[in-house]
Amino acid sequence: MTEYHPQELDAKWQKHWADTQAFEVTEDPSKPKFNFLEMFAYPSGHAHVGHVRNYIIGDVVSRLKRLQGFNVLHPFGWDAFGLPAENAAIKNGIHPETSTLGNIAHMKGQLQRLGISYAWGRELATCLPNYYRWNQWLFTRMFEKGLAYRRRSTVNWCPVDATVLANEQVVDGACWRCGTAVVQKDLEQWFFKITHYADDLLHAAEGLSKWPEKVLTMQRNWIGRSEGAKVKFPIQGEDASIEVFTTRIDTIYGATFVMLAPEHGLVTSFAKQSQDEKAFMEKAQRFRSQDRAGRLTGEVAKEGFFTGRFAINPFTHKPVPIWVANYVLGEYGTGAVMAVPAHDDRDLDFATKYDLPIVTVVNDDGVLVESGKYDGRLADDARRAITEEAEERGIGEGTVQFRLKDWGISRQRYWGTPIPMIHCPVDGVVPVPDDQLPVTLPNITEFTGRGDSPLASVPEFVNVACPKCGGPARRETDTMDTFVDSSWYFYRFADAHNDQMPFDPKKVAYWCPVDFYSGGIEHAILHLIYSRFFARVFHDLGMTEHTEPFTHLLTQGMVLKDGAVMSKSKGNVVDPDSMIQKYGSDALRLYVMFVAPPEKEVEWSDSGLEGSFRFLARVWRAADQWREQAMVSGSGAVEHASLTAAERAMRRKTHDTVRRVTQDIDVRQQMNTAVSAMMELVNELYAFTDKGERSAQAPKVAREAIEALVVMLSPFAPHTMEELWQMFGHQGGLAGAAWPVCDADVAKAEELEIPVQVNGKLRGRVTVAPDITDQELEALALADPNVHRILRKLAEGELDSFGDISTLADPAVVA
RNA sequence: GCCGGGGUGGCGAAACUGGCAGACGCACAGGACUUAAAAUCCUGAGAGGGUAACCCCCUCGUGCGGGUUCGAUUCCCGCCCCCGGCACCA
């Protein structure tokens, strides 16, 4: 009897995998490739079981694919730049590099103790110059193509993190990281022109058939395409006009006033012409400050004030008052809106409050009224016709608006990629030449968190010669948003050590797109839309052949403890290492997969983990019990026909389990039911061992079951299964094993128990051969005493409906 | 408000194409082994009822109310609740 000591097996096999470099791969055109990627990790210090769940999902599929003969790339890396490390440095004086590299070392150890099958030879960390130099290289390419540009704009500013945030990073008016209410600020900023791809990002999403509908919907909403028209309303008494955007140009005859966003450029000039400029601007200013942060608290009442000026409705030719309204957004459309109170609830609210005219121009049947020559036309039709007229008259045009805005990537912080640009008083903005990359982060010893960009305080960094004229110039001191780092790292894994290019296009052509990507739903918009954007940029640079980086996406659910998301601050973190110490890593891996389907949230349970440990010990004992006999009898072919009924049933279960497990992992990614199926197989094996009628071939039958089980369980519990595989006499480890194949003939049932329903209710069961004819089956069903009794009752009218008998395999009806 | 996903035993869940609801596991109970306990192995269990009793049989049961169907956790209509996302986007 060999005892099950999982912790010893963990150590033994982890060493074996490291020594044999078991998971390192190279391009091999003769093999089908499979690229499985889990979202890389922010090195926060410690991984808890919630983080780890995702890595286990990835490992199960990766190990399955290897056993199926795929050339599997399964890499890992670190999203290592970012604010927490810098904020920690301000607090405790430890340099971000020191803390980050320390955290990476610790977390890497945690993942290795779990036995995740990563190709560690390709490990990357975004905070290292050999990675971020390619951010800079790409930035320069984007600058050349006009996809990176600089402009002054109103930005979201987090006062606590002391930096700009992208719109995507503002959640409910607050900073996505620290939760502080975001304020608006005017700054000169670098932007990536993601809007260039807005339409393509939207349309191509339709083709992402293996992405969750939820994520696609979120992306669609985020891009927010709407078709409409821009129309100019001349300003009375001036040779100027206000351009509005509307999706309902068919209601333009009902536009009884015009509204400007408080940020609109005309607000300042109207203020100057007003009687009290100061009061005017104060009101506008108040609306602006309400804009984002104010909405966090919920309802901000609609408010506005009359500018004192009028515009001319270009269709009714009547003067309409111009108002400033707090619910008109400066950054959407043209920042000005025509108000049609009769056909827009918001405008109606506003018009009612300020007693502005309401004119109905579309009746209940969708037909235009009070609309001049368009009276009697259907709204849809009128929309086209009025747009055409506006175009002919040169006062408007049909257009498409997106909610998506360009991505502001400048950050006034230290711990990020330096933007590789130089400001020259003579030549303007000049990129750092490629042969001078990387622009490395200077070492800073004191982190204060005050003032401008920390890099601005390092004179030897800031003061440089202009690459063009050689004159004195000033280096850009902002760093890049860390989402730049994560928008293309999946390509770097295909060629992680290239020092000439971000990657060799040939290697990416082999490994990419990523076949299977898994990670948290919280990245549904930010990271996934930016990555899709970068994939298009690389494509347009001629470096890749595809535009969609991730073929299959799985968003895994979180692990809760006591009903809440695990977090250090809540103190409900479950540490994988303590679980491994108690039960071994395999039990932890198995439990996390068994408890629920991957995309579902789960509640952590210590006793559930213990159950998984018990199961592994049970598998171990079964294998141990049969080992000697199995070794003696060898693994040669079994003569199926000469087996006892119990042996045939055992084989049937084995092959049927192979079918189910393969389907569950490979096709459905329902790891929990795959584990259930294997538990059933083990239960069957115990029953067979205990009391099944056995022939001389029994050890072969048991061996077949056990070896299939060992291979199928190995993605979940690799250490234990490697050991059992070796115990059954196999050399070279599971790397040499093949995924079992279901023999359909063996898996087929010899007899079927068929439930018999009468009027949809179960009334009996008959046991039959699988090749029975319908007539025979019906006769047998009718012969069942209970079925017979019920049918007689029906015939006697005791029950009020007609008899309808059906067998589940083969529904049949009798009167 | 809009969009997406859910609601099934004491608990986590399963049911893949409209066909035996609750597989598998946790917790629980009983038995075997043991001086005893732990571990292990075996057995039981949706709720209610019928039968002296066993085999068994009946009724109800997948958030609520309707519908389609021989038959609905599954499809259709209406509603309630929970989770996630978006939210003055003109």
Side-chain angles (χ1 to χ4, degrees):
Chain A
M1 179 81 185
T2 315
E3 292 286 327
Y4 179 47
H5 293 301
Q7 293 82 359
E8 288 169 21
L9 303 183
D10 283 358
K12 170 177 170 181
W13 290 102
Q14 281 163 20
K15 181 170 187 307
H16 170 82
W17 296 326
D19 290 348
T20 58
Q21 303 212 327
F23 311 119
E24 303 300 334
V25 281
T26 52
E27 298 78 54
D28 178 355
S30 72
K31 269 173 132 185
K33 65 93 183 179
F34 193 84
N35 184 347
F36 194 109
L37 188 64
E38 296 110 57
M39 289 180 188
F40 66 171
Y42 179 76
S44 57
H46 298 265
H48 59 62
V49 294
H51 302 121
V52 148
R53 183 183 191 192
N54 191 32
Y55 311 139
I56 300 172
I57 294 167
D59 205 37
V60 168
V61 177
S62 300
R63 286 178 180 268
L64 164 82
K65 287 290 167 187
R66 273 188 213 108
L67 289 161
Q68 284 178 332
F70 285 85
N71 192 23
V72 175
L73 175 61
H74 188 210
F76 200 70
W78 308 98
D79 189 13
F81 271 139
L83 285 172
E86 189 171 344
N87 288 340
I90 293 166
K91 225 169 148 186
N92 58 29
I94 299 171
H95 194 281
E97 185 171 21
T98 312
S99 59
T100 300
L101 296 180
N103 287 348
I104 288 175
H106 179 80
M107 289 171 76
K108 183 175 178 180
Q110 286 188 300
L111 295 178
Q112 286 174 329
R113 285 190 289 280
L114 276 162
I116 310 286
S117 63
Y118 289 131
W120 285 111
R122 294 170 189 254
E123 181 184 8
L124 61 81
T126 57
C127 64
L128 300 176
N130 66 9
Y131 184 84
Y132 70 69
R133 75 176 283 189
W134 303 114
N135 282 345
Q136 295 170 340
W137 180 92
L138 184 65
F139 187 100
T140 307
R141 299 290 87 73
M142 290 171 75
F143 178 75
E144 290 161 359
K145 287 195 146 247
L147 289 170
Y149 67 94
R150 205 168 122 89
R151 72 171 149 90
R152 190 169 189 85
S153 72
T154 306
V155 294
N156 308 298
W157 178 264
C158 173
V160 167
D161 287 341
T163 190
V164 163
L165 298 172
N167 289 309
E168 288 83 353
Q169 293 164 340
V170 179
V171 179
D172 290 338
C175 173
W176 71 293
R177 226 184 239 288
C178 67
T180 310
V182 164
V183 298
Q184 303 299 300
K185 209 170 165 174
D186 276 329
L187 275 181
E188 193 80 11
Q189 294 288 294
W190 284 99
F191 286 86
F192 282 162
K193 204 169 180 181
I194 189 171
T195 54
H196 178 71
Y197 296 97
D199 238 332
D200 187 38
L201 287 167
L202 188 70
H203 285 122
E206 305 305 318
L208 295 172
S209 61
K210 290 183 177 174
W211 280 42
E213 194 51 44
K214 188 184 187 172
V215 174
L216 294 175
T217 306
M218 284 164 76
Q219 292 215 351
R220 253 180 242 124
N221 291 342
W222 190 262
I223 296 167
R225 183 181 197 273
S226 55
E227 281 180 38
K230 285 180 181 172
V231 189
K232 284 177 186 154
F233 281 57
I235 300 168
Q236 207 172 40
E238 256 182 58
D239 188 20
S241 60
I242 297 173
E243 191 174 45
V244 303
F245 173 71
T246 177
T247 56
R248 292 295 307 276
I249 196 169
D250 51 301
T251 64
I252 196 162
Y253 284 84
T256 51
F257 56 104
V258 170
M259 296 178 294
L260 302 176
E263 298 88 353
H264 198 283
L266 281 170
V267 170
T268 332
S269 51
F270 286 166
K272 281 188 185 124
Q273 296 159 29
S274 72
Q275 285 150 359
D276 187 346
E277 183 185 346
K278 204 172 156 231
F280 194 112
M281 283 313 292
E282 268 170 13
K283 279 187 277 186
Q285 207 53 48
R286 190 167 60 81
F287 291 168
R288 286 185 66 169
S289 62
Q290 284 176 341
D291 199 19
R292 262 172 206 288
R295 279 179 218 147
L296 178 62
T297 52
E299 281 296 298
V300 175
K302 290 182 182 57
E303 262 189 275
F305 61 89
F306 179 45
T307 59
R309 307 295 302 269
F310 288 84
I312 304 296
N313 180 320
F315 282 79
T316 64
H317 305 291
K318 288 180 187 158
V320 292
I322 303 169
W323 285 62
V324 174
N326 67 343
Y327 69 99
V328 177
L329 305 173
E331 74 267 30
Y332 186 76
T334 59
V337 179
M338 67 177 207
V340 187
H343 304 290
D344 184 291
D345 290 342
R346 296 159 298 174
D347 297 348
L348 182 61
D349 271 4
F350 194 84
T352 310
K353 179 166 178 180
Y354 295 106
D355 205 18
L356 291 158
I358 301 165
V359 179
T360 300
V361 290
V362 181
N363 70 16
D364 292 344
D365 301 325
V367 175
L368 266 63
V369 294
E370 304 281 331
S371 296
K373 64 181 171 188
Y374 296 101
D375 279 0
R377 295 184 68 165
L378 285 169
D380 283 345
D381 176 35
R383 204 168 299 164
R384 276 186 295 275
I386 296 177
T387 305
E388 271 170 36
E389 185 190 326
E391 283 171 359
E392 277 162 24
R393 287 168 52 194
I395 57 161
E397 56 177 350
T399 183
V400 174
Q401 279 296 324
F402 292 94
R403 194 181 164 280
L404 182 73
K405 284 180 278 293
D406 281 342
W407 172 17
I409 59 121
S410 298
R411 296 293 179 272
Q412 294 69 43
R413 297 303 298 253
Y414 170 75
W415 195 228
T417 304
I419 292 174
M421 291 287 153
I422 290 167
H423 302 280
C424 171
V426 178
D427 297 301
V429 178
V430 182
V432 174
D434 285 356
D435 59 12
Q436 291 173 31
L437 296 180
V439 176
T440 48
L441 266 181
N443 193 21
I444 287 186
T445 48
E446 208 182 328
F447 295 87
T448 62
R450 289 187 297 273
D452 286 339
S453 304
L455 296 185
S457 67
V458 185
E460 53 279 26
F461 177 82
V462 175
N463 300 317
V464 285
C466 169
K468 260 193 192 159
C469 66
R474 203 182 141 78
R475 216 183 263 289
E476 171 71 53
T477 56
D478 283 356
T479 52
M480 295 183 205
D481 182 4
T482 56
F483 277 95
V484 175
D485 312 343
S486 56
S487 295
W488 68 280
Y489 74 105
F490 37 91
Y491 291 139
R492 184 69 179 170
F493 279 134
D495 192 13
H497 305 292
N498 196 322
D499 58 4
Q500 302 298 312
M501 290 187 280
F503 53 80
D504 176 351
K506 285 201 288 291
K507 292 192 174 180
V508 162
Y510 178 80
W511 289 115
C512 295
V514 171
D515 295 281
F516 203 129
Y517 195 37
S518 77
I521 186 72
E522 66 274 20
H523 294 111
I525 296 173
L526 287 150
H527 165 59
L528 289 170
I529 217 163
Y530 292 152
S531 296
R532 294 181 64 217
F533 165 44
F534 268 42
R536 283 161 172 75
V537 173
F538 277 114
H539 176 265
D540 291 353
L541 288 171
M543 294 180 69
T544 63
E545 283 155 28
H546 61 272
T547 50
E548 285 299 337
F550 314 121
T551 306
H552 190 156
L553 177 72
L554 183 143
T555 51
Q556 106 276 9
M558 288 183 293
V559 180
L560 308 181
K561 179 79 198 298
D562 310 321
V565 177
M566 285 183 194
S567 75
K568 237 189 264 175
S569 57
K570 291 196 194 84
N572 62 346
V573 172
V574 177
D575 165 34
D577 286 301
S578 65
M579 298 296 141
I580 290 172
Q581 262 175 24
K582 206 165 170 191
Y583 300 105
S585 66
D586 286 345
L588 175 61
R589 296 170 55 116
L590 188 70
Y591 167 66
V592 170
M593 291 298 95
F594 176 58
V595 65
E599 66 281 0
K600 257 195 99 149
E601 255 177 20
V602 297
E603 173 71 30
W604 177 262
S605 145
D606 282 352
S607 57
L609 172 59
E610 199 168 324
S612 292
F613 171 78
R614 278 203 292 264
F615 171 69
L616 288 175
R618 197 167 146 86
V619 171
W620 180 274
R621 281 191 298 273
D624 193 52
Q625 189 169 357
W626 280 101
R627 182 165 61 115
E628 260 180 60
Q629 289 184 67
M631 295 303 284
V632 170
S633 73
S635 59
V638 186
E639 278 175 60
H640 192 69
S642 69
L643 298 175
T644 67
E647 286 162 350
R648 291 199 304 275
M650 185 69 242
R651 290 201 76 205
R652 187 185 89 72
K653 188 69 179 178
T654 301
H655 284 262
D656 193 50
T657 304
V658 170
R659 182 188 60 76
R660 284 171 63 187
V661 172
T662 310
Q663 166 85 11
D664 283 351
I665 308 178
D666 201 13
V667 183
R668 306 198 309 150
Q669 286 86 48
Q670 300 293 292
M671 317 304 177
N672 55 329
T673 51
V675 177
S676 305
M678 290 187 280
M679 286 173 167
E680 281 185 48
L681 176 61
V682 173
N683 290 345
E684 182 102 355
L685 180 63
Y686 268 75
F688 173 70
T689 307
D690 242 25
K691 54 189 180 221
E693 197 192 325
R694 282 136 69 176
S695 71
Q697 293 197 79
K700 282 188 179 174
V701 172
R703 177 176 194 155
E704 180 184 42
I706 291 164
E707 291 196 344
L709 180 70
V710 165
V711 177
M712 288 190 290
L713 256 182
S714 69
F716 297 85
H719 310 82
T720 308
M721 297 308 133
E722 284 277 18
E723 185 70 16
L724 290 177
W725 189 244
Q726 192 179 56
M727 273 165 56
F728 271 67
H730 299 281
Q731 301 302 312
L734 280 161
W739 190 254
V741 176
C742 166
D743 180 333
D745 283 339
V746 175
K748 200 165 71 186
E750 291 176 24
E751 45 183 37
L752 299 169
E753 191 187 61
I754 294 187
V756 183
Q757 292 181 345
V758 180
N759 280 348
K761 279 200 164 69
L762 179 71
R763 297 297 183 181
R765 292 185 175 85
V766 291
T767 304
V768 300
D771 56 355
I772 191 166
T773 65
D774 288 356
Q775 287 80 6
E776 285 168 332
L777 179 59
E778 194 181 308
L780 269 173
L782 286 168
D784 181 274
N786 200 42
V787 172
H788 188 73
R789 187 175 61 83
I790 296 287
L791 287 172
R792 204 174 58 225
K793 271 192 176 178
L794 288 174
E796 287 166 5
E798 284 179 32
L799 298 173
D800 56 0
S801 72
F802 238 33
D804 173 68
I805 169 170
S806 60
T807 52
L808 296 182
D810 215 335
V813 181
V814 291

